[in-house]
């Protein structure tokens, strides 16, 4: 795809500054990450509607050199920051310098973003804003040869439509996903299902590359209420994750042992839910956790551990590390939406509680610490968040370590089906309704239902020939 021309002096200045500083760092991994990520990050920033060209003067003016002469200082400054912009006095002590810097650079359009993050991290300490998370994932993966052009993403989320926000972000970086979604995030695709997705991967340099994303989800609304989520055009508070809330209720009522079943046994009318509940029950029994002591946060974290183990087990059966490289990112998707989506003054946020993060390249497993991947600037994050763009600029708050970015309300309402026309809600029958009415007689009205038992009317023949066994479907017992 042809790339839009951009203002090279600003982009090159930024790239050169980072390159000059990283080349002198004592950590070779940082240099490796930058070398791989540089082309994609610069082109991505530059492509976004010519923003670099329009803000060249402002961007140049904001790059103030440190006393050492570098545009971006790598940390010899007494302030202790990994990247010092050089705009403060170097005579200050570390503590004084830290105190002199604002804890957060907040956006006036969305006060309280920092407090919202703090509330979420009480329950999930590793939480990152979804755009911050994805930008770090993309930078880290670039250092190991994974890009959106040479990899396929496989996403395993809950079936809840609220989870599409994260899937949109993944697809903005890696293109269309092969999805293995299940109720509560439970994996039921099996080895064949996973191999089907892997067979769609690009082959570049003789290798396939896969990026696995797996997240159950939970809601913590803007008022801090765990499990509560507002949905478009639905009065009152809804819940997320409904399947995990139901699991928690059943396990508290019936206990763990009653719900531990042999693998392969499930309720035919509730296949995904019964499998999800059984797997969580077995995990709680293994970890000796009493479900009566579990909150929804605890149950969600247990589900994450179960689903991560299931994912890694399926990967071990489906992936040949001699022929393919792969990456795994797990955790919990967190909806921190406005307690009432009709309140346009309260921003909706989306977070990811980071779990496992690693790559396997040439058969060698390397664990990644996403918190050590530098966060983008608010302006860069605004650009990379354009997958959920709406009119106007979304609110962003930034600190030295993390960024919080709003999910635009217009995008959220449209993505979840919150825009209805009058013709859809006035209840009037269409004038052409009578013309399309017809009658239908089902020729297979007696076909077996999914929970009907079956019995063999004859034992299998064992004459070594083409033995056949006929079956008849009994009545539902």
């Amino acid at each position: 795809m042809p790339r839009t021309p951009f203002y090279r002096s600003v982009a090159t200045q930024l790239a050169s500054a980072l390159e000059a500083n990283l080349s002198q760092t004592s950590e070779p991994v940082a240099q490796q990450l930058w070398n791989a990520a540089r082309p994609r990050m610069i082109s991505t920033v530059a492509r976004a509607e010519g923003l670099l060209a329009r803000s060249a003067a402002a961007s140049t003016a904001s790059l103030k050199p440190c006393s050492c002469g570098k545009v971006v200082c790598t940390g010899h400054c007494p302030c202790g920051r990994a990247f010092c912009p050089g705009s403060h006095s170097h005579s200050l002590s570390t503590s004084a310098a830290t105190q002199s810097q604002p804890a957060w650079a907040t956006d006036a359009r969305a006060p309280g973003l920092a407090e919202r993050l703090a509330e979420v991290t009480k329950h999930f300490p590793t939480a990152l804003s979804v755009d911050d998370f994805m930008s770090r994932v993309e930078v880290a993966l670039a250092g190991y040869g994974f890009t959106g052009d040479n990899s396929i993403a496989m996403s395993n989320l809950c079936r809840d439509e609220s989870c599409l926000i994260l899937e949109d972000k993944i697809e903005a970086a890696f293109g269309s996903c092969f999805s293995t979604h299940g109720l509560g995030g439970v994996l039921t695709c099996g080895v064949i299902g996973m191999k089907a997705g892997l067979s769609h991967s690009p082959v570049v340099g003789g290798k396939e590359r896969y990026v696995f994303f797996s997240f159950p989800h939970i809601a913590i609304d803007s008022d801090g209420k765990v499990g509560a989520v507002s949905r478009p055009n639905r009065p009152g508070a809804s819940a997320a994750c409904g399947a995990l809330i139901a699991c928690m209720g059943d396990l508290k009522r019936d206990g763990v042992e009653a719900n531990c079943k042999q693998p392969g046994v499930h309720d035919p009318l509730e296949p995904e839910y019964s499998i999800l509940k059984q797997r969580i029950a077995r995990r709680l029994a293994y970890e000796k956790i009493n479900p009566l002591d579990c909150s929804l946060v605890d149950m969600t974290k247990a589900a994450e551990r179960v689903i991560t183990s299931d994912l890694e087990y399926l990967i071990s059966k489906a992936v040949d590390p001699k022929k393919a490289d792969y990456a795994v990112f797990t955790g919990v998707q967190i909806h921190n939406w406005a307690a009432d989506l009709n309140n346009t003054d309260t921003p909706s946020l989306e977070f990811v509680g980071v779990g496992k993060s690693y790559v396997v390249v040439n058969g060698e497993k390397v664990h990644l610490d996403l918190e050590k991947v530098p966060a983008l600037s608010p302006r860069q994050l605004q650009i990379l968040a354009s997958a959920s763009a709406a009119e106007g600029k979304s609110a962003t708050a930034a600190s030295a370590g993390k960024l919080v970015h709003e999910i635009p309300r217009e995008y959220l309402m449209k993505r979840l089906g919150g825009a209805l026309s009058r013709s859809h809600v006035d209840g009037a029958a269409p004038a052409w309704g009578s013309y399309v009415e017809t009658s239908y007689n089902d020729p297979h009205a007696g076909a077996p239902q999914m929970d009907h038992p079956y019995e063999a009317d004859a034992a299998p023949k064992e004459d070594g020939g083409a033995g056949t066994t006929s079956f008849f479907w009994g009545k539902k017992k």
Side-chain angles (χ1 to χ4, degrees), residues 322-396:
K322 295 179 181 179
K323 298 180 180 179
D325 296 337
Y326 66 92
V328 173
F329 296 93
T330 69
V332 175
Q333 181 180 2
I334 306 160
H335 314 299
N336 186 232
W337 299 355
D340 180 2
L341 287 179
N342 291 322
N343 181 357
T344 58
D345 295 328
T346 303
S348 291
L349 310 176
E350 192 84 357
F351 295 94
V352 170
V354 181
K356 287 189 175 182
S357 304
Y358 61 86
V359 296
V360 177
V361 178
N362 296 325
E364 182 179 352
K365 188 175 186 178
V366 180
H367 288 276
L368 307 174
D369 186 348
L370 293 183
E371 289 211 358
K372 292 184 179 178
V373 178
L376 301 180
S377 71
R379 184 183 68 85
Q380 291 171 321
L381 197 69
Q382 289 275 358
I383 296 170
L384 291 180
S386 60
S388 57
E391 292 184 6
K393 187 178 179 182
S394 303
T396 303

Side-chain angles (χ1 to χ4, degrees), residues 219-233:
I220 304 175
D221 71 13
S222 59
D223 292 336
K225 186 176 180 180
V226 176
V229 63
S230 177
R231 299 183 188 269
N233 299 315

Side-chain angles (χ1 to χ4, degrees), residues 269-464:
L269 290 181
E270 302 288 356
E272 289 187 347
Y273 176 69
S274 60
I275 292 171
L276 173 68
K277 184 168 60 173
Q278 291 165 24
R279 289 182 181 173
I280 292 176
R282 292 173 63 189
R283 186 65 178 233
L284 294 181
Y286 166 76
E287 296 180 356
K288 296 179 171 57
I289 295 175
N290 187 341
L292 293 175
D293 299 329
C294 290
S295 65
L296 181 57
V297 171
D298 298 327
M299 192 62 60
T300 305
K301 291 180 178 180
E304 187 274 325
R305 296 192 296 273
V306 170
I307 295 165
T308 296
S309 295
D310 289 348
L311 173 64
E312 292 178 318
Y313 189 67
L314 288 177
I315 289 174
S316 72
K317 300 292 185 182
V319 177
D320 183 353
K322 295 179 181 179
K323 298 180 180 179
D325 296 337
Y326 66 92
V328 173
F329 296 93
T330 69
V332 175
Q333 181 180 2
I334 306 160
H335 314 299
N336 186 232
W337 299 355
D340 180 2
L341 287 179
N342 291 322
N343 181 357
T344 58
D345 295 328
T346 303
S348 291
L349 310 176
E350 192 84 357
F351 295 94
V352 170
V354 181
K356 287 189 175 182
S357 304
Y358 61 86
V359 296
V360 177
V361 178
N362 296 325
E364 182 179 352
K365 188 175 186 178
V366 180
H367 288 276
L368 307 174
D369 186 348
L370 293 183
E371 289 211 358
K372 292 184 179 178
V373 178
L376 301 180
S377 71
R379 184 183 68 85
Q380 291 171 321
L381 197 69
Q382 289 275 358
I383 296 170
L384 291 180
S386 60
S388 57
E391 292 184 6
K393 187 178 179 182
S394 303
T396 303
S399 75
K402 296 183 178 181
L403 293 177
V404 180
H405 184 76
E406 177 187 4
I407 301 297
R409 183 176 182 277
E410 295 85 352
Y411 157 78
L412 188 64
M413 298 291 282
K414 181 178 180 180
R415 195 67 178 91
L416 300 182
L420 295 180
S421 67
R422 179 178 177 84
S423 63
H424 290 145
V425 298
D426 61 12
W432 42 262
S434 60
Y435 296 100
V436 297
E437 292 179 1
T438 187
S439 59
Y440 175 73
N441 293 318
D442 187 354
H444 303 291
Q449 301 300 317
M450 63 178 66
D451 59 343
H452 283 185
Y454 68 88
E455 299 175 10
D457 63 0
K461 298 179 181 180
E462 298 186 9
D463 57 1

Side-chain angles (χ1 to χ4, degrees), residues 163-282:
C163 297
L164 293 175
I165 308 303
L166 175 55
E167 179 143 301
D168 282 353
K169 301 296 184 180
I170 295 171
E171 292 190 340
F174 293 97
S176 297
C177 296
F178 184 89
S179 68
T180 58
H181 302 343
L183 203 62
V186 66
L187 266 166
T188 58
C189 66
V191 177
I192 290 178
M194 180 167 285
K195 284 184 174 180
L198 304 182
S199 68
H200 304 167
S201 170
V203 180
V204 178
K207 271 202 170 183
E208 297 180 355
R209 293 170 180 84
Y210 324 128
V211 184
F212 297 93
F213 294 92
S214 183
F215 305 90
H217 71 130
I218 191 172
I220 304 175
D221 71 13
S222 59
D223 292 336
K225 186 176 180 180
V226 176
V229 63
S230 177
R231 299 183 188 269
N233 299 315
R234 184 175 180 85
S238 183
C241 170
L244 292 180
I245 291 172
C247 277
M248 182 171 65
D250 287 350
L251 292 172
K252 286 178 180 289
R253 183 188 65 246
D254 302 328
V256 167
E257 294 300 328
N259 287 286
C260 288
K261 309 291 184 182
Q262 289 297 322
V265 176
H266 64 269
D267 183 338
L269 290 181
E270 302 288 356
E272 289 187 347
Y273 176 69
S274 60
I275 292 171
L276 173 68
K277 184 168 60 173
Q278 291 165 24
R279 289 182 181 173
I280 292 176
R282 292 173 63 189

